[in-house]
Amino acid sequence: MLRLWRGLKTVVQTSPANTHHYHTIQAIPRECTGSRISSRDRAQGRIPAVVFSQGLLEKNPSNRSPSRKQILTTERKQIRSIIKSVQLPFFCSTRFQLQIRAGSGSSVLLESGTIHRDEESGKILNLVFVWADEGTELKVDVPVVFKGLEDCPGLKKGGYFKVIRSSLKFQCPAEHIPQKIEVDVSKLDIDDRVLMHDIEVHPSMKLLSKNESMPICKIAPTYIENPEPIKV
């Protein structure tokens, strides 16, 4: 999709919604919780995890939906493999299939559903997921990916690329969550910028921002501090 801005052709697009599940996360229930139990799980190569409905986080109790909370563990090796395949920046905006089994190696399926990871913080010690059933409204941070830097005229003239927002927060149905938003900056000149409202997404996606006129990136001029006086 195209957007015209200051006479420039700026391509802003979202990746297709996650209609296909790249991986299935296998997990088993935890009967006990606590720091000692979690430490033991990590020592055994597993990651403590929890999955619940995002509505549980609503400040107004009347707006909270049933939690469907499940306390789980999953294999660290499995999660590392998924992150390597999906790539870490897009892990939090990707929907996965979840299979909760009776125990390690068991073939008895207790419950399955589609989930979307909600939080991520450096080294993975714990995992927090939310249920993402089709039609469920979720709030999600979608990564922004910039392309076309090598052809950007503003950069060729000596400007520098300034990222103001590396992700945008949306509220949308789970089935319309895009893995990423791509912004083509190959036509931007010095002082040009791309604004939040320049981005076109699926009609069901609502941008959660108080000021949609805020830029997400710009080509800034390079200023020389304390320039030497020109000798005549």
Side-chain angles (χ1 to χ4, degrees):
M1 56 190 70
L2 302 179
R3 291 282 296 181
L4 296 181
W5 188 83
R6 291 187 60 181
L8 302 173
K9 186 185 291 183
T10 303
V11 179
V12 183
Q13 62 186 143
T14 58
S15 65
N18 300 307
T19 55
H20 301 286
H21 306 293
Y22 295 95
H23 301 277
T24 296
I25 295 179
Q26 305 282 346
I28 59 176
R30 279 191 294 163
E31 295 183 358
C32 303
T33 61
S35 57
R36 290 186 178 180
I37 301 297
S38 296
S39 296
R40 185 191 65 188
D41 287 337
R42 297 185 190 106
Q44 294 175 349
R46 304 191 64 83
I47 301 176
V50 60
V51 57
F52 52 79
S53 299
Q54 196 177 67
L56 184 64
L57 302 177
E58 289 286 344
K59 295 181 179 180
N60 187 344
S62 62
N63 294 333
R64 294 174 185 169
S65 58
S67 66
R68 295 173 58 197
K69 187 176 180 180
Q70 293 271 2
I71 306 298
L72 313 167
T73 66
T74 183
E75 290 187 4
R76 182 184 298 114
K77 185 184 298 184
Q78 174 191 205
I79 298 301
R80 284 179 176 175
S81 176
I82 292 175
I83 290 176
K84 184 177 180 180
S85 176
V86 176
Q87 298 182 13
L88 185 58
F90 312 126
F91 185 65
C92 295
S93 53
T94 300
R95 296 169 70 221
F96 301 95
Q97 190 73 19
L98 172 68
Q99 289 186 340
I100 304 175
R101 298 182 177 273
S104 182
S106 170
S107 60
V108 180
L109 183 64
L110 295 183
E111 183 175 1
S112 66
T114 305
I115 62 175
H116 171 267
R117 180 170 171 193
D118 186 51
E119 295 183 6
E120 170 268 322
S121 58
K123 185 178 180 181
I124 298 178
L125 298 176
N126 303 283
L127 290 172
V128 179
F129 298 97
V130 296
W131 295 108
D133 302 311
E134 188 169 334
T136 303
E137 289 279 333
L138 296 177
K139 295 177 182 178
V140 57
D141 288 304
V142 181
V144 178
V145 177
F146 302 97
K147 62 181 184 179
L149 291 169
E150 64 280 1
D151 298 319
C152 178
L155 297 182
K156 292 181 178 180
K157 293 177 182 179
Y160 70 94
F161 183 66
K162 184 174 182 179
V163 176
I164 300 172
R165 295 291 298 269
S166 59
S167 66
L168 294 173
K169 191 165 190 173
F170 291 92
Q171 179 172 326
C172 64
E175 64 271 22
H176 292 152
I177 297 173
Q179 265 197 327
K180 60 186 175 182
I181 293 173
E182 292 187 336
V183 178
D184 189 340
V185 299
S186 62
K187 304 297 182 182
L188 298 185
D189 210 332
I190 291 178
D191 286 329
D192 286 339
R193 61 192 68 194
V194 178
L195 309 180
M196 289 186 186
H197 62 59
D198 289 329
I199 297 177
E200 292 184 357
V201 295
H202 191 277
S204 65
M205 296 180 64
K206 178 183 178 182
L207 180 63
L208 300 179
S209 173
K210 295 181 180 179
N211 185 1
E212 296 186 7
S213 297
M214 290 289 291
I216 61 175
C217 70
K218 68 178 182 179
I219 307 298
T222 301
Y223 296 102
I224 303 175
E225 296 184 0
N226 301 321
E228 295 182 1
I230 300 176
K231 296 180 180 180
V232 180

